[in-house]
Amino acid sequence: MTPTSPWYKQFWPWFLLGLLMLSISVSSTFAVLAIRSADGMVQEDYYEHGRAINMVLAKQQRAHELNLAADLRIDPMTSDIIVQLDGDDRPERLYLRLIFPTQDDRDQDLVLEHVRDGRYLGQAPDNLRHRWYLQLHPSEEQPAWRLVGEASLPSEESFSLTPGVQQRS
């Protein structure tokens, strides 16, 4: 009979214990990170935001009733914003909200001034990159209507902003 060495001198028990300790330390690290870091996508008052959806749809329906649509272009070299608004409303200024899909701290609020015949001008921050959601409305406080769209920046193309409501048959 061959003599066997004690368990603590064997390779496999230490390998299995090492895997167990590694999984415990990695999962503990992820648990600490999940608890300490805030999730920017989850809002504190999510219930109130959910109730406000009908108000948002009413704003988009109002834009549809006014036959509003806009073409937006952001010049990649100068970051000038040019909006051509078509429809039955011409406010003195428009407010453009650039919403980054995953990080709310990157959202931008911009003011566009009316120049002539539905043309509005403004200035965007330099080096806008990636995909953005766009919201265009006539006032900061309780806007009467809203146009929405998406843009992948930088781009030489213009982007269409529409009421975003479904047509009812």
Side-chain angles (χ1 to χ4, degrees), residues 68-73 84 134 136 147-151 157-163:
L68 294 173
D71 284 324
L72 178 136
R73 185 175 173 281
Q84 180 63 45
L134 309 170
L136 188 68
L147 298 175
V148 295
E150 290 185 31
E157 300 175 9
S158 64
F159 302 99
S160 178
L161 300 172
T162 62

Side-chain angles (χ1 to χ4, degrees), residues 100-139:
F100 197 75
T102 58
Q103 298 172 343
D104 61 351
D105 59 334
R106 293 183 64 182
D107 294 353
Q108 304 281 329
D109 290 312
L110 308 168
V111 179
L112 309 173
E113 297 293 332
H114 188 230
V115 180
R116 70 182 187 306
D117 298 332
R119 183 173 288 259
Y120 294 82
L121 297 177
Q123 186 69 35
D126 291 336
N127 297 324
L128 284 177
R129 302 259 183 266
H130 309 296
R131 181 173 159 222
W132 296 82
Y133 295 122
L134 309 170
Q135 293 181 353
L136 188 68
H137 45 88
S139 68

Side-chain angles (χ1 to χ4, degrees), residues 14-126:
W14 291 111
F15 177 75
L16 294 174
L17 284 173
L19 285 178
L20 178 65
M21 292 301 153
L22 179 66
S23 67
I24 289 172
S25 64
V26 168
S27 63
S28 298
T29 302
F30 281 130
V32 168
L33 287 175
I35 291 170
R36 288 190 180 177
S37 63
D39 186 5
M41 296 300 294
V42 178
Q43 300 168 343
E44 293 293 324
D45 54 350
Y46 63 91
Y47 179 73
E48 292 298 322
H49 284 280
R51 290 183 52 201
I53 288 175
N54 288 335
M55 292 172 39
V56 169
L57 293 177
K59 291 174 188 175
Q60 292 177 199
Q61 182 64 37
R62 180 68 181 142
H64 179 70
E65 292 166 1
L66 291 170
N67 297 319
L68 294 173
D71 284 324
L72 178 136
R73 185 175 173 281
I74 300 177
D75 189 300
M77 297 298 285
T78 63
S79 297
D80 290 337
I81 302 173
I82 304 160
V83 171
Q84 180 63 45
L85 180 66
D86 298 320
D88 300 333
D89 192 14
R90 295 284 200 295
E92 282 303 309
R93 66 177 44 103
L94 291 175
Y95 295 89
L96 176 65
R97 179 141 202 200
L98 299 171
I99 302 170
F100 197 75
T102 58
Q103 298 172 343
D104 61 351
D105 59 334
R106 293 183 64 182
D107 294 353
Q108 304 281 329
D109 290 312
L110 308 168
V111 179
L112 309 173
E113 297 293 332
H114 188 230
V115 180
R116 70 182 187 306
D117 298 332
R119 183 173 288 259
Y120 294 82
L121 297 177
Q123 186 69 35
D126 291 336

